[in-house]
Amino acid sequence: MTALTVAGPAALDGLAGRTGLRRLTVVGADVRRLPHLPSLTQVRFVACRLGDLGALLDAPALYRRDLLFSAFDRLDAGDDEVLLAGAGGIVAGVPHSRSAAAYRAELGDVASQYERVQCVRLWRRTGAVFGAGVLVRPGPAAFTAAPFDAVRIAAAELERELAAPGFSLERVFARYSALTPPGAASLVAAAADPPGAALLRWAFLELWAEDRLGADRFAQRFPHVALRTDPPPALDAAARRYAALLPGAYLLRARIPRWLLLRDAPPLHLGRLPGRAWQLGLDVAGGRMIVGRCGDSVLAAATDETECVLLLEPGGGSRVVYRSFRELLDDVTGVL
């Protein structure tokens, strides 16, 4: 036998000394030691609690590690293994630090940083993990009859749950739908097609890191709002058009994608400007980069090196209301 899937508390019993095993999948286990498997080339951990894999894996032929919805004892151990697995394997729902995520992004990874933040928060409080719209309690099941405990929950819903008084995993598992069908195949499918994947791929090319995080969070909070993700040729053409209207604007081409993103969205409510509904999206008037309108009131983005957004009132008053595009996105409280 060259491929084997094992599951549960006794998943690794009887593997010691097995020769010829090349591909191993471990599901819902608490893995502290792994038997010596000299022929092993690929290993996949799904919903497992893991020690330091550097000490666990004594397999000279191993070239691929998949880490799916599993957790390590320490965040730095997760960092090391996420980077190793990301070199040729699949990584989803594994707690790791912002610095490791930034390094992965430099290598072309387009994973959701908003989901990563919620995953780390959840893991620190409960030991559970999150990614691709699924919350998983690594290790043997405690709340369900499945091989491991898992529920479907959006990142924005999880953020609200974590902020609510009396948060507990028991309450989450009671409120949200169980992963169906239960099992490792559903987690692999979720990792292959995470929520907002198309937006993330576009944002990786067109938005700065903080803007990507804000756009991802917005899209998951308001999934039915249409976001405009124009292709590069259209954005290049827009940059040429607006450059003629805003001569000397700082890094205009880099800023245009963010301000066009909400141009097709319905009017939005902003927490810092209550009682009004704002139509957001790029326009130019009077030599200003207009990014929002509500009646005669206007939101204008700075055209110098700052990122601030000013409120311009009809009477001539003005004040800074946001220090960045990300700050504005995070302030959206609802859709008209």
Side-chain angles (χ1 to χ4, degrees), residues 1-325:
M1 181 180 294
T2 60
L4 180 66
T5 297
V6 294
L12 302 179
D13 291 357
L15 290 185
R18 185 184 289 264
T19 59
L21 180 62
R22 298 176 61 82
R23 299 185 300 276
L24 174 65
T25 299
V26 185
V27 181
D30 192 348
V31 182
R32 299 295 143 181
R33 289 193 310 169
L34 197 67
H36 177 58
L37 299 168
S39 302
L40 192 66
T41 60
Q42 302 177 48
V43 64
R44 171 175 288 175
F45 294 103
V46 182
C48 291
R49 290 193 294 259
L50 302 169
D52 186 342
L53 291 188
L56 291 173
L57 297 177
D58 182 15
L62 184 69
Y63 69 86
R64 173 170 175 155
R65 307 178 185 190
D66 292 340
L67 300 176
L68 297 172
F69 303 90
S70 297
F72 295 83
D73 294 334
R74 309 181 323 276
L75 195 63
D76 60 342
D79 282 358
D80 293 343
E81 296 306 324
V82 160
L83 294 176
L84 283 172
I90 303 171
V91 177
V94 179
H96 57 285
S97 72
R98 181 174 181 174
S99 59
Y103 184 73
R104 290 183 67 199
E106 291 178 4
L107 300 177
D109 179 72
V110 295
S112 169
Q113 296 311 306
Y114 176 48
E115 288 195 345
R116 184 198 63 80
V117 170
Q118 306 315 315
C119 178
V120 173
R121 292 178 64 203
L122 176 70
W123 169 74
R124 283 177 169 156
R125 292 181 64 175
T126 68
V129 299
F130 172 76
V134 184
L135 183 155
V136 176
R137 180 183 172 275
F143 303 121
T144 68
F148 50 83
D149 295 323
V151 292
R152 296 276 188 186
I153 181 172
E157 293 171 329
L158 177 57
E159 184 179 33
R160 288 194 294 269
E161 290 288 345
L162 287 166
F167 167 78
S168 69
L169 283 182
E170 291 85 349
R171 187 171 71 179
V172 171
F173 276 90
R175 287 184 174 181
Y176 294 88
S177 300
L179 180 70
T180 54
S186 291
L187 291 185
V188 174
D193 187 25
L199 172 65
L200 290 171
R201 287 192 293 270
W202 175 85
F204 181 79
L205 298 175
E206 298 294 350
L207 298 181
W208 297 342
E210 281 300 300
D211 292 345
R212 289 199 297 270
L213 184 59
D216 183 18
R217 181 174 185 267
F218 178 91
Q220 299 214 42
R221 291 170 64 214
F222 304 103
H224 302 300
V225 173
L227 298 178
R228 185 163 167 171
T229 54
D230 291 347
L235 294 171
D236 292 342
R240 290 192 294 270
R241 184 170 66 254
Y242 286 120
L245 301 172
L246 297 167
Y250 184 75
L251 295 179
L252 183 61
R253 172 60 177 84
R255 296 183 179 193
I256 282 176
R258 72 172 75 154
W259 293 118
L260 287 178
L261 189 67
L262 296 171
R263 191 166 191 171
D264 298 334
L268 303 171
H269 296 290
L270 301 174
R272 296 183 188 178
L273 301 170
R276 312 191 212 183
W278 293 86
Q279 191 71 56
L280 302 180
L282 182 61
D283 193 7
V284 175
R288 290 187 177 274
M289 186 185 295
I290 307 302
V291 296
R293 294 183 182 273
C294 178
D296 293 330
S297 298
V298 168
L299 292 173
T303 57
D304 58 13
E305 67 274 11
T306 65
E307 296 290 305
C308 63
V309 177
L310 295 87
L311 172 65
L312 308 179
E313 296 286 19
S318 67
R319 60 187 174 92
V320 173
V321 285
Y322 301 106
R323 298 290 178 183
S324 67
F325 173 71

